[in-house]
Amino acid sequence: MSAGQIIVLVTPLFFALMALEWAVGRRRGRQPLALADAIGSLNLGLLSQTSAVFTALLRIGLYTLAWQHLALWRNDAFWTTWYGWLLALLFYDFCYYWLHRMGHEVGVLWAAHAVHHQSQHYNLSTALRQTSSGALLGWLFYLPMALAGVPPLVFVVVGLIDLLYQFWVHTEQVGRLGWFDRWFCSPSNHRVHHAVNDDYLDKNYGGILIVWDRLFGTFKDEDPQQPCVYGTRG
């Protein structure tokens, strides 16, 4: 089963969580969902999944070629142990941090990534607002994994885990989470990432772990006195 097929299978869960978010927001007297914006996000999500039929083949195919011909160490038995899977997930998340960061700092990569940030609302539908062209250059950032001998199957699975994890952090209905916020990408941390406030701009790139941002100087804590303003700058 491909990653795209798994995304399709979990889509009903995405919609169920979006409905729950809407219900919680209504109960709290806050409207978390703007219908026109949500429809726009869903359309972009559908477009990205349609294009993924082709871009995923390109991304995985190029990764497989690099793994076959450039791997410096081949030990599939290691990478398929529980600790090998865990290491591969950490490795992927590290590479994702740099892809995500460069997606904000390099013009051609931002051109692909900007669509994810253009909504002026922040809710679970925003997570579906994905690029259709990011994979064209994004695969380059995962070449270190191929060089380290991470098998293509492991690469695909941990990449899917990293992607699915990031869905739930796109909400304003979950507040601060204490110790969890210090280690992991959380709704609080990711709200900062989507904000265009001067103090928040270009911060908190981590996919699963926020530790990378703390290590490389791109972390910013959410300030209750400075509400996030979403969208992109002109």
Side-chain angles (χ1 to χ4, degrees), residues 98-217:
W98 287 106
L99 168 60
H100 197 182
R101 180 171 175 175
M102 292 302 103
H104 284 251
E105 297 181 2
V106 178
V108 67
L109 297 177
W110 173 246
H113 183 59
V115 64
H116 182 61
H117 285 264
Q118 287 172 337
S119 174
Q120 295 180 339
H121 302 271
Y122 190 76
N123 50 60
L124 291 177
S125 72
T126 310
L128 305 180
R129 182 182 284 262
Q130 295 293 327
T131 176
S132 296
S133 57
L136 297 178
L137 293 175
W139 65 274
L140 291 167
F141 288 83
Y142 299 103
L143 280 179
M145 296 183 70
L147 295 177
V150 179
L153 175 62
V154 177
F155 168 73
V156 170
V157 172
V158 297
L160 183 62
I161 292 171
D162 207 276
L163 176 64
L164 292 177
Y165 173 89
Q166 295 177 53
F167 176 78
W168 80 282
V169 301
H170 291 82
T171 184
E172 292 187 300
Q173 303 306 317
V174 178
R176 301 295 298 274
L177 297 175
W179 67 268
F180 190 88
D181 291 331
R182 293 194 293 272
W183 294 93
F184 295 93
C185 178
S186 65
S188 174
N189 291 331
H190 205 62
R191 285 193 289 269
V192 168
H193 175 69
H194 274 258
V196 293
N197 311 53
D198 287 341
D199 290 343
Y200 293 161
L201 196 64
D202 296 335
K203 296 292 191 291
N204 298 0
Y205 297 109
I208 293 179
L209 294 178
I210 205 68
V211 174
W212 312 125
D213 291 280
R214 293 183 180 276
L215 285 174
F216 299 111

Side-chain angles (χ1 to χ4, degrees), residues 4-66:
Q5 289 173 315
I6 293 175
I7 295 289
V8 171
L9 288 176
V10 299
T11 295
L13 176 60
F14 290 166
F15 281 107
L17 291 174
M18 289 166 59
L20 177 62
E21 179 190 39
W22 177 83
V24 170
R26 291 278 292 183
R27 185 172 182 179
R28 292 174 174 174
R30 298 161 57 188
Q31 176 54 270
L33 195 66
L35 183 59
D37 180 78
I39 291 174
S41 295
L42 293 174
N43 285 336
L44 287 165
L46 179 62
L47 179 62
S48 71
Q49 283 304 301
T50 302
S51 64
V53 173
F54 306 101
T55 58
L57 290 174
L58 172 69
R59 178 172 177 258
I60 297 169
L62 291 172
Y63 180 90
T64 301
L65 283 174

